Amino acid sequence: CPPLGLETLKITDFQLHASTAKRYGLGAHRGRLNIQAGVNENDFYDGAWCAGRNDPYQWIEVDARRLTKFTGVITQGRNSLWSSNWVTSYRVLVSNDSHAWTAVRNESGDVIFEGNSEKEIPVLNMLPVPLVARYIRINPRSWFEEGSICMRLEILGCPLPDPNNYYHRRNEMTTTDNLDFKHHNYKEMRQLMKTVNKMCPNITRIYNIGKSNQGLKLYAVEISDNPGEHEVGEPEFRYIAGAHGNEVLGRELILLLMQFMCQEYLAGNPRIVHLIEDTRIHLLPSVNPDGYDKAYKAGSELGGWSLGRWTQDGIDINNNFPDLNSLLWESEDEKKSKRKVPNHHIPIPDWYLSENATVAVETRAIIAWMEKIPFVLGGNLQGGELVVAYPYDMVRSMWKTQDYTPTPDDHVFRWLAYSYASTHRLMTDARRRACHTEDFQKEDGTVNGASWHTVAGSINDFSYLHTNCFELSIYVGCDKYPHESELPEEWENNRESLIVFMEQVHRGIKGIVKDVHGKGIPNAVISVEGVNHDIRTGADGDYWRLLNPGEYVVGVKAEGYTAATKTCEVGYDMGATQCDFTISKTNLARIKEIMKKFGKQPISLSIRRLRQRARQWRQQ
């Protein structure tokens, strides 16, 4: 049987009760598998249910609200940086009225189940025989001798059909999409990609961006009306998932999305057809397949909070990119600094490129991919929370761990984050319970990364400062690795958001920068007055600049060409405003071109003056 949903919050706080609690922050409502404590472990958000007394009469109880076939119990100790508390053995009791209780028994009497031997690794105990009841109670019998009675748990159970149970019918969630709702290991993921490609060969292409530490290829699927080539004027979008291998929901959502887009394209859904014809979409479901493999082997409930998070060589890919923020801010703070750093396309420092740098092969593969393709917008899907985080992810002050640190494009990022959060079924729901310790409702399900927790070298900050691409982190669910039975509902929660966010790549201005002969000029700098962040044109001279509705003075400059500006207006309707430039070569560039053509080099003025002086001196 699947989990009842303590971890996914399907079981509400009102369905959890306990004999006693040490304090409110350690109440029964905190006794959920994998729940995380706040850094301060304060009164409201602690990391387990802890009994008010240490004796064998304590209990924690779950009301399933309908008859349920209970089959197993999973337990953990208290999540805490400062203390060690877990239950080493317990009894299980069931009831239909919460007054008369029956213990789980075998031939020799009440069964005493073996609990935990440390606080984080989940331990599963299956009941000798399934028991049907409405309530289930866990009664700790022994605990870590230097700690106290504290536990987090999940209950495995199959709700029985009950046509009279209005509560359950009202809360049931189903999907009409005919997709493959299951967890896919590496081989199955590859097979699914092939199936999608076979169904939609004209709009899909499978390719890989490199290999993992263990040699697994990092496969991506491209969805476009001309797969395999960049079309001038068409923006490029990416979704990636699985940088943390144990955050599995994002991986499955991307696999569901590629199936959905193929099916809807074949069915002639005008919205999806339009999106595919006007956008080049790249979907990379598993950045860290080695980590995923570890989590997959443990299973959806037994990997704990971190098994498989890191790469095979112990690196957190999400924060493994070059820290370009510090280079930019140092340059801005030291006005007389000899080393001027541009406000965009900041080069990667030499130390990071050396073989001795602690950089995962997966990270290097992503960077090469980001540099090769002119992405405009991207989302990296993560798990364990329900919020959209936008850059900067790193605080500017050395003395703070949390501080709102906006980019020059803060208003655009906030809109992009809100476009996902507001169309998600739960992110902006004011009635929803916080996943762990943070309540993101005041920001409508969005958060500035640095105001949440500072991180140096994040993929979002790197993407913004090294490429043209605006990237956000999308945390798609409280449960990092939900049970297979939860996937249809999670798809319904995220489907509209995934599509709406892709559509935002068509917001702002776009155009082509050409010379007087109509040839595209690559690497031209596009600037927007009042925004201290520029972008550059691609190899064909085309560009896209994400902007909110309004009127903007846009400038362009390129080496050897005269600069130009024009006013471009961004409307509220979807679709980027066309803002093309034709610029001519400077006089000096023309002279150089002519002299080069005839095999002569232009002499710089300073050298010419020196020669004239030498001639005059000789004549004297």
Side-chain angles (χ1 to χ4, degrees):
C1 284
L4 288 189
L6 276 80
E7 185 176 7
T8 60
L9 308 182
K10 248 184 174 177
I11 296 291
T12 68
D13 289 353
F14 301 109
Q15 291 171 262
L16 299 170
H17 308 280
S19 50
T20 59
K22 197 167 272 187
R23 51 186 167 80
Y24 176 77
L26 293 166
H29 66 293
R30 302 295 295 175
R32 301 170 179 274
L33 190 73
N34 285 323
I35 205 162
Q36 301 296 292
V39 175
N40 304 321
E41 298 183 17
N42 58 28
D43 195 41
F44 294 106
Y45 301 113
D46 222 317
W49 161 66
C50 290
R53 297 188 298 275
N54 289 330
D55 63 44
Y57 307 107
Q58 304 305 310
W59 48 263
I60 181 169
E61 173 188 312
V62 181
D63 175 6
R65 285 190 171 156
R66 63 188 291 185
L67 284 179
T68 301
K69 182 171 75 173
F70 296 115
T71 58
V73 177
I74 302 171
T75 58
Q76 268 175 321
R78 175 182 172 184
N79 175 250
S80 169
L81 290 170
W82 319 111
S83 59
S84 297
N85 304 287
W86 58 83
V87 168
T88 54
S89 70
Y90 59 89
R91 290 192 310 155
V92 176
L93 304 95
V94 295
S95 171
N96 286 323
D97 58 9
S98 83
H99 295 293
W101 291 89
T102 304
V104 174
R105 298 174 64 85
N106 59 19
E107 314 82 54
S108 53
D110 292 359
V111 177
I112 304 296
F113 293 96
E114 194 174 324
N116 299 80
S117 55
E118 57 91 75
K119 56 190 173 185
E120 288 299 334
I121 298 175
V123 172
L124 165 67
N125 277 300
M126 300 302 292
L127 304 187
V129 290
L131 292 174
V132 175
R134 172 175 166 174
Y135 301 88
I136 186 166
R137 185 178 276 189
I138 311 301
N139 164 222
R141 305 300 289 172
S142 62
W143 45 93
F144 178 51
E145 57 185 17
E146 293 175 29
S148 56
I149 296 175
C150 292
M151 65 194 314
R152 295 173 285 168
L153 68 150
E154 181 62 86
I155 305 295
L156 305 183
C158 296
L160 297 183
D162 183 1
N164 301 317
N165 191 320
Y166 167 74
Y167 170 84
H168 185 74
R169 287 205 317 277
R170 190 186 63 188
N171 285 277
E172 260 179 333
M173 182 77 212
T174 55
T175 182
T176 56
D177 294 328
N178 181 27
L179 307 173
D180 190 18
F181 293 106
K182 60 168 285 203
H183 286 298
H184 298 81
N185 62 25
Y186 183 80
K187 190 176 176 182
E188 291 165 339
M189 176 187 79
R190 177 84 176 96
Q191 188 56 48
L192 181 67
M193 288 178 168
K194 285 180 178 176
T195 303
V196 171
N197 181 236
K198 197 172 178 181
M199 278 176 65
C200 296
N202 297 332
I203 60 161
T204 61
R205 176 178 74 101
I206 303 170
Y207 66 101
N208 74 78
I209 67 163
K211 290 183 178 180
S212 72
N213 180 278
Q214 295 295 291
L216 297 176
K217 288 180 180 175
L218 308 179
Y219 284 111
V221 167
E222 177 193 338
I223 303 179
S224 163
D225 59 343
N226 279 301
E229 61 181 273
H230 171 72
E231 294 179 72
V232 177
E234 188 170 281
E236 310 236 6
F237 176 94
R238 69 170 178 254
Y239 271 132
I240 69 171
H244 296 147
N246 63 330
E247 292 170 12
V248 170
L249 179 55
R251 169 194 178 108
E252 293 305 329
L253 288 174
I254 288 183
L255 293 175
L256 290 166
L257 180 64
M258 62 179 72
Q259 296 172 65
F260 176 79
M261 293 191 75
C262 171
Q263 288 180 10
E264 294 300 298
Y265 182 85
L266 294 176
N269 179 333
R271 183 186 185 192
I272 300 301
V273 170
H274 180 68
L275 187 60
I276 290 172
E277 287 180 349
D278 291 353
T279 325
R280 192 177 179 212
I281 299 160
H282 302 259
L283 305 176
L284 178 62
S286 190
V287 175
N288 179 9
D290 301 345
Y292 174 82
D293 194 47
K294 289 180 187 173
Y296 181 80
K297 283 173 181 171
S300 67
E301 311 308 313
L302 301 177
W305 189 246
S306 58
L307 180 68
R309 176 186 175 91
W310 299 280
T311 62
Q312 186 67 26
D313 45 353
I315 294 172
D316 185 334
I317 294 175
N318 214 40
N319 322 327
N320 191 221
F321 293 81
D323 169 17
L324 303 182
N325 304 53
S326 298
L327 295 177
L328 176 65
W329 294 336
E330 281 169 20
S331 172
E332 288 177 349
D333 292 342
E334 297 172 24
K335 300 293 182 192
K336 296 176 184 176
S337 171
K338 290 178 182 176
R339 189 181 178 193
K340 287 295 174 194
V341 175
N343 67 9
H344 68 294
H345 283 245
I346 300 172
I348 295 172
D350 292 339
W351 67 264
Y352 186 90
L353 299 171
S354 75
E355 287 183 16
N356 298 329
T358 308
V359 182
V361 290
E362 295 90 345
T363 311
R364 293 203 192 277
I366 295 167
I367 291 174
W369 186 50
M370 292 162 86
E371 291 176 335
K372 182 181 177 184
I373 297 174
F375 292 112
V376 179
L377 178 61
N380 56 83
L381 306 189
Q382 301 193 42
E385 259 304 346
L386 209 47
V387 68
V388 183
Y390 54 92
Y392 288 125
D393 289 329
M394 181 180 174
V395 295
R396 189 158 185 161
S397 167
M398 286 172 59
W399 314 110
K400 293 180 179 177
T401 56
Q402 292 175 307
D403 192 30
Y404 196 103
T405 311
T407 65
D409 284 289
D410 192 52
H411 291 292
V412 178
F413 274 115
R414 285 166 66 179
W415 166 257
L416 292 170
Y418 185 68
S419 73
Y420 194 100
S422 61
T423 48
H424 189 280
R425 281 187 63 252
L426 298 173
M427 269 190 202
T428 53
D429 185 349
R431 299 163 299 171
R432 122 180 136 73
R433 181 196 187 286
C435 290
H436 300 281
T437 63
E438 305 277 354
D439 185 358
F440 298 107
Q441 290 307 312
K442 60 183 179 293
E443 297 283 345
D444 288 316
T446 69
V447 68
N448 171 259
S451 72
W452 184 12
H453 48 69
T454 186
V455 167
S458 79
I459 187 172
N460 296 344
D461 290 4
F462 173 77
S463 182
Y464 182 68
L465 294 175
H466 184 66
T467 74
N468 289 344
C469 184
F470 287 31
E471 177 118 2
L472 293 85
S473 292
I474 301 165
Y475 293 79
V476 289
C478 300
D479 188 350
K480 290 181 176 183
Y481 195 155
H483 189 269
E484 213 162 78
S485 60
E486 300 291 331
L487 293 177
E489 183 168 344
E490 292 294 358
W491 168 247
E492 286 296 319
N493 288 345
N494 287 279
R495 179 183 58 193
E496 179 63 16
S497 311
L498 288 164
I499 298 166
V500 166
F501 188 72
M502 284 192 284
E503 291 172 334
Q504 303 313 305
V505 78
H506 296 285
R507 181 174 291 280
I509 59 173
K510 67 177 182 179
I512 302 174
V513 179
K514 301 175 184 173
D515 62 16
V516 290
H517 305 296
K519 187 182 177 187
I521 301 170
N523 227 27
V525 176
I526 307 291
S527 57
V528 176
E529 192 175 277
V531 182
N532 187 24
H533 181 80
D534 304 335
I535 60 157
R536 296 194 180 215
T537 56
D540 302 300
D542 50 354
Y543 77 91
W544 306 262
R545 180 64 166 91
L546 296 175
L547 292 166
N548 284 346
E551 196 172 81
Y552 299 92
V553 177
V554 182
V556 61
K557 59 184 178 184
E559 194 176 342
Y561 292 85
T562 53
T565 60
K566 64 162 64 174
T567 301
C568 303
E569 190 171 334
V570 178
Y572 285 88
D573 294 336
M574 191 55 74
T577 303
Q578 195 75 28
C579 195
D580 296 328
F581 289 88
T582 301
I583 53 179
S584 55
K585 291 196 170 175
T586 60
N587 288 337
L588 182 59
R590 280 204 199 102
I591 291 166
K592 281 182 177 178
E593 207 171 60
I594 292 164
M595 295 192 77
K596 193 176 180 184
K597 192 176 180 180
F598 293 103
K600 295 182 179 179
Q601 291 299 319
I603 300 168
S604 69
L605 292 174
S606 55
I607 294 171
R608 194 175 294 167
R609 286 197 193 101
L610 284 170
R611 285 180 180 171
Q612 280 178 345
R613 282 178 193 163
R615 204 175 294 129
Q616 287 168 359
W617 183 74
R618 279 198 301 272
Q619 287 170 357
Q620 288 171 3

